[in-house]
PDB file of all heavy atoms in Angstrom:
ATOM      1  N   LEU A   9      68.389  18.683 230.996  1.00  0.00           N
ATOM      2  CA  LEU A   9      69.582  18.616 230.208  1.00  0.00           C
ATOM      3  C   LEU A   9      70.771  19.317 230.800  1.00  0.00           C
ATOM      4  O   LEU A   9      71.864  18.817 230.869  1.00  0.00           O
ATOM      5  CB  LEU A   9      69.323  19.221 228.809  1.00  0.00           C
ATOM      6  CG  LEU A   9      68.486  18.348 227.844  1.00  0.00           C
ATOM      7  CD1 LEU A   9      68.206  19.231 226.559  1.00  0.00           C
ATOM      8  CD2 LEU A   9      69.233  17.082 227.458  1.00  0.00           C
ATOM      9  N   ALA A  34     110.856  10.117 207.325  1.00  0.00           N
ATOM     10  CA  ALA A  34     110.540   9.075 208.305  1.00  0.00           C
ATOM     11  C   ALA A  34     111.519   9.087 209.466  1.00  0.00           C
ATOM     12  O   ALA A  34     111.165   8.685 210.618  1.00  0.00           O
ATOM     13  CB  ALA A  34     110.512   7.685 207.633  1.00  0.00           C
ATOM     14  N   ILE A  35     112.707   9.490 209.273  1.00  0.00           N
ATOM     15  CA  ILE A  35     113.752   9.526 210.303  1.00  0.00           C
ATOM     16  C   ILE A  35     113.332  10.474 211.524  1.00  0.00           C
ATOM     17  O   ILE A  35     113.799  10.237 212.607  1.00  0.00           O
ATOM     18  CB  ILE A  35     115.089  10.022 209.701  1.00  0.00           C
ATOM     19  CG1 ILE A  35     116.251   9.688 210.688  1.00  0.00           C
ATOM     20  CG2 ILE A  35     115.080  11.450 209.386  1.00  0.00           C
ATOM     21  CD1 ILE A  35     117.650   9.948 210.070  1.00  0.00           C
ATOM     22  N   THR A  38     107.912  10.287 215.363  1.00  0.00           N
ATOM     23  CA  THR A  38     107.902  10.099 216.822  1.00  0.00           C
ATOM     24  C   THR A  38     106.667   9.353 217.294  1.00  0.00           C
ATOM     25  O   THR A  38     105.653   9.327 216.586  1.00  0.00           O
ATOM     26  CB  THR A  38     108.017  11.472 217.555  1.00  0.00           C
ATOM     27  OG1 THR A  38     106.815  12.250 217.240  1.00  0.00           O
ATOM     28  CG2 THR A  38     109.259  12.218 217.270  1.00  0.00           C
ATOM     29  N   THR A  40     104.896   8.716 221.240  1.00  0.00           N
ATOM     30  CA  THR A  40     105.017   8.917 222.703  1.00  0.00           C
ATOM     31  C   THR A  40     103.637   8.978 223.354  1.00  0.00           C
ATOM     32  O   THR A  40     102.613   8.736 222.715  1.00  0.00           O
ATOM     33  CB  THR A  40     105.848  10.196 222.972  1.00  0.00           C
ATOM     34  OG1 THR A  40     106.097  10.245 224.404  1.00  0.00           O
ATOM     35  CG2 THR A  40     105.053  11.463 222.591  1.00  0.00           C
ATOM     36  N   ILE A  46      90.877  17.163 232.449  1.00  0.00           N
ATOM     37  CA  ILE A  46      89.842  18.164 232.193  1.00  0.00           C
ATOM     38  C   ILE A  46      88.803  18.185 233.307  1.00  0.00           C
ATOM     39  O   ILE A  46      88.413  17.111 233.826  1.00  0.00           O
ATOM     40  CB  ILE A  46      89.124  17.896 230.775  1.00  0.00           C
ATOM     41  CG1 ILE A  46      88.063  18.916 230.454  1.00  0.00           C
ATOM     42  CG2 ILE A  46      88.608  16.451 230.784  1.00  0.00           C
ATOM     43  CD1 ILE A  46      87.553  18.829 229.045  1.00  0.00           C
ATOM     44  N   LEU A  68     119.370   5.708 215.245  1.00  0.00           N
ATOM     45  CA  LEU A  68     120.086   6.531 214.302  1.00  0.00           C
ATOM     46  C   LEU A  68     120.637   7.823 214.931  1.00  0.00           C
ATOM     47  O   LEU A  68     121.401   8.572 214.277  1.00  0.00           O
ATOM     48  CB  LEU A  68     119.220   6.884 213.083  1.00  0.00           C
ATOM     49  CG  LEU A  68     118.710   5.711 212.232  1.00  0.00           C
ATOM     50  CD1 LEU A  68     117.822   6.177 211.076  1.00  0.00           C
ATOM     51  CD2 LEU A  68     119.866   4.859 211.712  1.00  0.00           C
ATOM     52  N   VAL A  72     123.274  14.487 220.843  1.00  0.00           N
ATOM     53  CA  VAL A  72     122.222  15.074 221.647  1.00  0.00           C
ATOM     54  C   VAL A  72     122.887  16.280 222.377  1.00  0.00           C
ATOM     55  O   VAL A  72     123.840  16.069 223.089  1.00  0.00           O
ATOM     56  CB  VAL A  72     121.534  14.133 222.603  1.00  0.00           C
ATOM     57  CG1 VAL A  72     120.482  14.857 223.487  1.00  0.00           C
ATOM     58  CG2 VAL A  72     120.940  12.951 221.860  1.00  0.00           C
ATOM     59  N   VAL A  81     118.441  17.220 218.908  1.00  0.00           N
ATOM     60  CA  VAL A  81     118.817  15.816 218.531  1.00  0.00           C
ATOM     61  C   VAL A  81     119.239  15.799 217.046  1.00  0.00           C
ATOM     62  O   VAL A  81     118.513  16.280 216.187  1.00  0.00           O
ATOM     63  CB  VAL A  81     117.608  14.866 218.727  1.00  0.00           C
ATOM     64  CG1 VAL A  81     117.996  13.445 218.307  1.00  0.00           C
ATOM     65  CG2 VAL A  81     117.144  14.867 220.169  1.00  0.00           C
ATOM     66  N   GLN A  93     108.894  20.088 226.279  1.00  0.00           N
ATOM     67  CA  GLN A  93     107.684  19.708 227.051  1.00  0.00           C
ATOM     68  C   GLN A  93     106.527  20.395 226.430  1.00  0.00           C
ATOM     69  O   GLN A  93     106.334  21.629 226.608  1.00  0.00           O
ATOM     70  CB  GLN A  93     107.871  20.087 228.507  1.00  0.00           C
ATOM     71  CG  GLN A  93     106.666  19.737 229.359  1.00  0.00           C
ATOM     72  CD  GLN A  93     106.552  18.251 229.665  1.00  0.00           C
ATOM     73  OE1 GLN A  93     107.446  17.615 230.087  1.00  0.00           O
ATOM     74  NE2 GLN A  93     105.366  17.694 229.333  1.00  0.00           N
ATOM     75  N   LEU A 105      92.895  29.130 224.274  1.00  0.00           N
ATOM     76  CA  LEU A 105      93.875  28.037 224.161  1.00  0.00           C
ATOM     77  C   LEU A 105      95.219  28.647 224.139  1.00  0.00           C
ATOM     78  O   LEU A 105      95.524  29.530 223.337  1.00  0.00           O
ATOM     79  CB  LEU A 105      93.588  27.239 222.864  1.00  0.00           C
ATOM     80  CG  LEU A 105      94.697  26.358 222.313  1.00  0.00           C
ATOM     81  CD1 LEU A 105      95.002  25.269 223.252  1.00  0.00           C
ATOM     82  CD2 LEU A 105      94.349  25.845 220.907  1.00  0.00           C
ATOM     83  N   ILE A 106      96.137  28.151 224.982  1.00  0.00           N
ATOM     84  CA  ILE A 106      97.488  28.637 224.958  1.00  0.00           C
ATOM     85  C   ILE A 106      98.489  27.461 224.957  1.00  0.00           C
ATOM     86  O   ILE A 106      98.218  26.517 225.621  1.00  0.00           O
ATOM     87  CB  ILE A 106      97.805  29.519 226.191  1.00  0.00           C
ATOM     88  CG1 ILE A 106      96.769  30.625 226.389  1.00  0.00           C
ATOM     89  CG2 ILE A 106      99.237  30.126 226.141  1.00  0.00           C
ATOM     90  CD1 ILE A 106      96.962  31.452 227.627  1.00  0.00           C
ATOM     91  N   ILE A 111     110.406  28.151 217.300  1.00  0.00           N
ATOM     92  CA  ILE A 111     110.915  28.704 216.059  1.00  0.00           C
ATOM     93  C   ILE A 111     112.395  28.596 216.030  1.00  0.00           C
ATOM     94  O   ILE A 111     113.068  29.252 216.876  1.00  0.00           O
ATOM     95  CB  ILE A 111     110.449  30.205 215.889  1.00  0.00           C
ATOM     96  CG1 ILE A 111     108.906  30.267 215.895  1.00  0.00           C
ATOM     97  CG2 ILE A 111     111.029  30.797 214.642  1.00  0.00           C
ATOM     98  CD1 ILE A 111     108.338  31.702 215.750  1.00  0.00           C
ATOM     99  N   VAL A 122      89.429  28.428 221.608  1.00  0.00           N
ATOM    100  CA  VAL A 122      89.275  27.003 221.874  1.00  0.00           C
ATOM    101  C   VAL A 122      88.705  26.270 220.664  1.00  0.00           C
ATOM    102  O   VAL A 122      89.171  25.221 220.145  1.00  0.00           O
ATOM    103  CB  VAL A 122      88.420  26.716 223.071  1.00  0.00           C
ATOM    104  CG1 VAL A 122      88.066  25.175 223.188  1.00  0.00           C
ATOM    105  CG2 VAL A 122      89.184  27.126 224.320  1.00  0.00           C
ATOM    106  N   GLU A 128      81.958  18.180 210.802  1.00  0.00           N
ATOM    107  CA  GLU A 128      80.787  17.570 210.186  1.00  0.00           C
ATOM    108  C   GLU A 128      80.560  16.237 210.895  1.00  0.00           C
ATOM    109  O   GLU A 128      81.393  15.266 210.709  1.00  0.00           O
ATOM    110  CB  GLU A 128      81.008  17.377 208.660  1.00  0.00           C
ATOM    111  CG  GLU A 128      79.822  16.719 207.980  1.00  0.00           C
ATOM    112  CD  GLU A 128      80.052  16.509 206.512  1.00  0.00           C
ATOM    113  OE1 GLU A 128      80.926  17.076 205.911  1.00  0.00           O
ATOM    114  OE2 GLU A 128      79.271  15.661 205.909  1.00  0.00           O
ATOM    115  N   ILE A 129      79.533  16.138 211.640  1.00  0.00           N
ATOM    116  CA  ILE A 129      79.280  14.897 212.418  1.00  0.00           C
ATOM    117  C   ILE A 129      78.663  13.781 211.518  1.00  0.00           C
ATOM    118  O   ILE A 129      77.718  14.064 210.797  1.00  0.00           O
ATOM    119  CB  ILE A 129      78.351  15.208 213.584  1.00  0.00           C
ATOM    120  CG1 ILE A 129      79.061  16.204 214.551  1.00  0.00           C
ATOM    121  CG2 ILE A 129      78.058  13.908 214.361  1.00  0.00           C
ATOM    122  CD1 ILE A 129      78.189  16.553 215.727  1.00  0.00           C
ATOM    123  N   LYS A 141      80.215   4.420 224.199  1.00  0.00           N
ATOM    124  CA  LYS A 141      79.584   4.626 222.875  1.00  0.00           C
ATOM    125  C   LYS A 141      80.033   5.963 222.306  1.00  0.00           C
ATOM    126  O   LYS A 141      80.123   6.927 222.952  1.00  0.00           O
ATOM    127  CB  LYS A 141      78.053   4.688 223.035  1.00  0.00           C
ATOM    128  CG  LYS A 141      77.446   3.282 223.395  1.00  0.00           C
ATOM    129  CD  LYS A 141      75.916   3.365 223.504  1.00  0.00           C
ATOM    130  CE  LYS A 141      75.300   2.047 223.887  1.00  0.00           C
ATOM    131  NZ  LYS A 141      73.823   2.154 223.973  1.00  0.00           N
ATOM    132  N   ASN A 160      79.729  11.484 224.373  1.00  0.00           N
ATOM    133  CA  ASN A 160      79.106  12.352 225.374  1.00  0.00           C
ATOM    134  C   ASN A 160      78.838  11.623 226.697  1.00  0.00           C
ATOM    135  O   ASN A 160      78.232  12.164 227.595  1.00  0.00           O
ATOM    136  CB  ASN A 160      77.836  12.987 224.880  1.00  0.00           C
ATOM    137  CG  ASN A 160      76.780  11.946 224.437  1.00  0.00           C
ATOM    138  OD1 ASN A 160      76.888  10.786 224.795  1.00  0.00           O
ATOM    139  ND2 ASN A 160      75.721  12.376 223.738  1.00  0.00           N
ATOM    140  N   LYS A 170      94.688  20.581 219.934  1.00  0.00           N
ATOM    141  CA  LYS A 170      93.805  21.696 219.654  1.00  0.00           C
ATOM    142  C   LYS A 170      92.442  21.221 219.334  1.00  0.00           C
ATOM    143  O   LYS A 170      91.517  22.010 219.094  1.00  0.00           O
ATOM    144  CB  LYS A 170      94.364  22.468 218.426  1.00  0.00           C
ATOM    145  CG  LYS A 170      95.679  23.137 218.755  1.00  0.00           C
ATOM    146  CD  LYS A 170      96.177  23.964 217.524  1.00  0.00           C
ATOM    147  CE  LYS A 170      97.566  24.593 217.755  1.00  0.00           C
ATOM    148  NZ  LYS A 170      97.962  25.463 216.636  1.00  0.00           N
ATOM    149  N   SER A 183      94.605  11.942 211.291  1.00  0.00           N
ATOM    150  CA  SER A 183      94.501  12.625 210.001  1.00  0.00           C
ATOM    151  C   SER A 183      94.387  11.523 208.976  1.00  0.00           C
ATOM    152  O   SER A 183      94.977  10.433 209.080  1.00  0.00           O
ATOM    153  CB  SER A 183      95.813  13.509 209.743  1.00  0.00           C
ATOM    154  OG  SER A 183      96.946  12.658 209.708  1.00  0.00           O
ATOM    155  N   SER A 216      99.587  35.910 218.805  1.00  0.00           N
ATOM    156  CA  SER A 216      98.569  35.268 218.030  1.00  0.00           C
ATOM    157  C   SER A 216      99.130  34.267 217.059  1.00  0.00           C
ATOM    158  O   SER A 216     100.307  34.316 216.774  1.00  0.00           O
ATOM    159  CB  SER A 216      97.804  36.359 217.209  1.00  0.00           C
ATOM    160  OG  SER A 216      98.587  36.974 216.271  1.00  0.00           O
ATOM    161  N   GLU A 230     115.963  35.414 207.880  1.00  0.00           N
ATOM    162  CA  GLU A 230     117.261  35.658 208.502  1.00  0.00           C
ATOM    163  C   GLU A 230     118.278  34.498 208.240  1.00  0.00           C
ATOM    164  O   GLU A 230     119.425  34.722 207.957  1.00  0.00           O
ATOM    165  CB  GLU A 230     117.072  35.877 209.989  1.00  0.00           C
ATOM    166  CG  GLU A 230     116.413  37.154 210.406  1.00  0.00           C
ATOM    167  CD  GLU A 230     116.183  37.197 211.914  1.00  0.00           C
ATOM    168  OE1 GLU A 230     116.814  36.448 212.661  1.00  0.00           O
ATOM    169  OE2 GLU A 230     115.445  38.135 212.383  1.00  0.00           O
ATOM    170  N   LYS A 233     119.393  34.551 204.721  1.00  0.00           N
ATOM    171  CA  LYS A 233     120.440  35.598 204.513  1.00  0.00           C
ATOM    172  C   LYS A 233     121.791  35.172 204.975  1.00  0.00           C
ATOM    173  O   LYS A 233     122.785  35.377 204.303  1.00  0.00           O
ATOM    174  CB  LYS A 233     120.010  36.849 205.264  1.00  0.00           C
ATOM    175  CG  LYS A 233     120.856  38.085 204.989  1.00  0.00           C
ATOM    176  CD  LYS A 233     120.259  39.321 205.694  1.00  0.00           C
ATOM    177  CE  LYS A 233     121.104  40.560 205.409  1.00  0.00           C
ATOM    178  NZ  LYS A 233     120.523  41.752 206.067  1.00  0.00           N
ATOM    179  N   LEU A 238     127.339  32.880 203.407  1.00  0.00           N
ATOM    180  CA  LEU A 238     128.322  31.788 203.468  1.00  0.00           C
ATOM    181  C   LEU A 238     128.495  31.020 202.188  1.00  0.00           C
ATOM    182  O   LEU A 238     129.373  30.130 202.051  1.00  0.00           O
ATOM    183  CB  LEU A 238     127.956  30.776 204.605  1.00  0.00           C
ATOM    184  CG  LEU A 238     127.877  31.363 206.031  1.00  0.00           C
ATOM    185  CD1 LEU A 238     127.271  30.310 206.957  1.00  0.00           C
ATOM    186  CD2 LEU A 238     129.243  31.802 206.444  1.00  0.00           C
ATOM    187  N   ILE A 247     114.476  27.472 201.113  1.00  0.00           N
ATOM    188  CA  ILE A 247     113.880  26.980 202.323  1.00  0.00           C
ATOM    189  C   ILE A 247     112.342  26.820 202.137  1.00  0.00           C
ATOM    190  O   ILE A 247     111.729  27.829 201.680  1.00  0.00           O
ATOM    191  CB  ILE A 247     114.137  27.954 203.559  1.00  0.00           C
ATOM    192  CG1 ILE A 247     115.642  28.039 203.862  1.00  0.00           C
ATOM    193  CG2 ILE A 247     113.418  27.468 204.776  1.00  0.00           C
ATOM    194  CD1 ILE A 247     115.994  28.997 205.013  1.00  0.00           C
ATOM    195  N   LEU A 256     101.676  26.196 207.703  1.00  0.00           N
ATOM    196  CA  LEU A 256     101.863  27.549 208.058  1.00  0.00           C
ATOM    197  C   LEU A 256     101.639  28.500 206.922  1.00  0.00           C
ATOM    198  O   LEU A 256     101.712  29.773 207.054  1.00  0.00           O
ATOM    199  CB  LEU A 256     103.330  27.789 208.612  1.00  0.00           C
ATOM    200  CG  LEU A 256     103.640  27.014 209.899  1.00  0.00           C
ATOM    201  CD1 LEU A 256     105.086  27.299 210.306  1.00  0.00           C
ATOM    202  CD2 LEU A 256     102.682  27.349 211.033  1.00  0.00           C
TER     203      LEU A 256
END
Side-chain angles (χ1 to χ4, degrees):
L9 287 172
I35 194 173
T38 58
T40 188
I46 181 170
L68 300 178
V72 178
V81 178
Q93 178 74 53
L105 160 67
I106 307 174
I111 298 181
V122 170
E128 180 183 342
I129 298 177
K141 291 182 181 179
N160 60 13
K170 298 183 179 183
S183 61
S216 68
E230 289 177 12
K233 189 176 180 179
L238 298 172
I247 296 179
L256 299 179

